[in-house]
Amino acid sequence: MSYQFSSDETVLQFVKKASDCDEGFLRSVLHSMQFVGTDLRKSVKALSGGEAIRLQLCQLFLGEYNILL
């Protein structure tokens, strides 16, 4: 399974695009998923497979879904 991204945006830009939350909250969510320091400025194209999966999980956590698990 491939988790390749097609855009040249950074990790922080990718998450900002998908959420209406303020940057401080986004940074704390990314930090809780082990994206720290310069990881936030890393291009999404340069992420390893594990990092790409963690970034997609962040995007899921920040989405506004109306479901019950």
Side-chain angles (χ1 to χ4, degrees):
M1 189 180 300
S2 176
Y3 294 101
Q4 298 296 320
F5 295 97
S6 61
S7 67
D8 286 326
E9 54 197 3
T10 65
V11 169
L12 186 58
Q13 290 170 337
F14 180 81
V15 175
K16 275 185 179 180
K17 181 179 73 173
S19 177
D20 293 334
C21 300
D22 65 276
E23 187 173 325
F25 181 73
L26 294 176
R27 285 175 177 270
S28 69
V29 170
L30 287 166
H31 182 75
S32 69
M33 294 297 285
Q34 305 300 315
F35 288 102
V36 295
T38 58
D39 292 340
L40 300 180
R41 294 188 306 263
K42 188 185 284 189
S43 170
V44 292
K45 283 184 173 181
L47 296 177
S48 68
E51 289 172 327
I53 290 171
R54 287 186 289 143
L55 183 60
Q56 290 177 340
L57 283 172
C58 284
Q59 188 178 20
L60 284 174
F61 295 151
L62 294 168
E64 294 184 24
Y65 305 105
N66 193 12
I67 61 171
L68 176 65
L69 297 176

